[in-house]
Amino acid sequence: MAVHTKIALVTGGSRGLGKNMAIAIAKKGIDVIITYNSKKEEADLVVKEIESLGQKVASLQLNVADSATFDSFFSSVAETLKSTFKTDKFDFLVNNAGIGIHNSFAGTTEAEFDQLTNIQFKGPFFLTQKALNVMNDGGGIVNISTGLARFSFPGYAAYASMKGAIETLTKYQAKELGERKIRANVVAPGAIETDFGGGVVRDNEQLNKNLAAVTALGRVGLPDDIGGVVAFLCTEEARWVNAQRIEVSGGMNL
């Protein structure tokens, strides 16, 4: 009997950390479906790169802020699983898609709060709920959080609060989905040089230095520091890792 190649669905897999995660997962011999919000060209480049690694891959459009579209999205997933992967279910869901809004607690508007809620908490909550119908037993969920749920930097009150909610949700997912042998874990990156939040960590030299100074390993993170940890959680070696928060920050604010 042919061994079933595992499949991971990575939201926001067309750029930044999500791209790095998708490629790292493919390097583990796992097939990948990535989602993109608006930049199909970026997604196409990631598809080419993963194909060059010898894995099957597909990209689908998804706006995680709009839960009303999730049913039609999973119809597309089902069709793609059939046509591209010759199967009807996938194994791992990586809830990575997101945005950062930098504003003080006092200055955060209701519109910003609602946008963050929809993208960072409501989206992953209901996307994962609907994914359960097309996920294999014995798979896994990886929710992406942030070091900011453990330590505080002014300007991220709303963003970090949503990630705190995701971390709590992950424990409940692990508990309630255990009967299906589906694991749920959190990966919490520290400060990373990407275009996230306007590329502030990468492009603001003073901020970069300040963050490096409070990090035990003496630098800020790079995308390559994160993807492999997420990929590991999608392997058999991680079969006994469940309901854990793995912070990947080089030791920030210890």
Side-chain angles (χ1 to χ4, degrees):
M1 188 176 133
V3 176
H4 159 67
T5 300
K6 299 282 171 72
I7 303 166
L9 171 60
V10 182
T11 67
S14 60
R15 54 205 281 248
L17 288 185
K19 170 185 174 180
N20 193 277
M21 292 167 195
I23 291 165
I25 287 168
K27 285 177 178 171
K28 297 279 190 190
I30 298 166
D31 292 338
V32 185
I33 300 172
I34 61 168
T35 76
Y36 62 92
N37 183 19
S38 56
K39 297 195 166 77
K40 185 176 187 303
E41 307 73 36
E42 290 187 356
D44 290 343
L45 290 173
V46 180
V47 165
K48 282 202 181 77
E49 189 162 348
I50 289 173
E51 281 174 344
S52 76
L53 295 168
Q55 295 305 131
K56 287 183 189 157
V57 57
S59 76
L60 295 171
Q61 197 278 330
L62 169 68
N63 176 8
V64 293
D66 187 1
S67 54
T69 65
F70 291 174
D71 284 331
S72 62
F73 169 71
F74 277 111
S75 296
S76 303
V77 169
E79 286 163 25
T80 301
L81 285 169
K82 210 168 285 177
S83 62
T84 304
F85 303 94
K86 309 292 182 254
T87 187
D88 56 357
K89 293 197 171 166
F90 68 95
D91 302 276
F92 301 102
L93 173 62
V94 180
N95 284 308
N96 163 74
I99 60 160
I101 292 177
H102 184 267
N103 204 345
S104 68
F105 165 69
T108 299
T109 65
E110 267 196 68
E112 288 171 335
F113 184 94
D114 290 344
Q115 188 184 12
L116 281 169
T117 303
N118 288 339
I119 292 173
Q120 304 289 10
F121 187 56
K122 183 183 177 182
F125 189 107
F126 289 103
L127 191 77
T128 306
Q129 187 188 78
K130 290 182 184 297
L132 294 175
N133 298 325
V134 275
M135 279 183 77
N136 282 313
D137 290 359
I141 298 159
V142 182
N143 293 319
I144 305 304
S145 180
T146 172
L148 294 163
R150 175 179 65 82
F151 50 77
S152 308
F153 275 103
Y156 295 103
Y159 171 78
S161 295
M162 305 307 161
K163 293 302 197 180
I166 279 287
E167 293 191 8
T168 298
L169 173 64
T170 304
K171 293 175 198 168
Y172 278 84
Q173 289 171 335
K175 186 86 165 175
E176 294 188 21
L177 302 177
E179 61 188 14
R180 288 185 54 186
K181 304 293 184 276
I182 292 174
R183 300 174 296 107
N185 291 289
V186 168
V187 171
I192 310 287
E193 290 188 11
T194 66
D195 57 11
F196 188 79
V200 62
V201 173
R202 181 189 61 208
D203 302 334
N204 181 327
E205 194 183 341
Q206 192 53 51
L207 177 66
N208 196 301
K209 274 194 181 128
N210 294 348
L211 292 168
V214 297
T215 303
L217 294 180
R219 64 170 174 84
V220 300
L222 302 169
D224 276 345
D225 296 325
I226 309 299
V229 180
V230 173
F232 159 71
L233 289 171
C234 300
T235 66
E236 183 60 18
E237 283 85 356
R239 64 188 173 272
W240 207 235
V241 181
N242 197 18
Q244 297 306 299
R245 176 191 192 271
I246 302 174
E247 185 173 303
V248 192
S249 72
M252 281 186 75
N253 290 318
L254 295 178

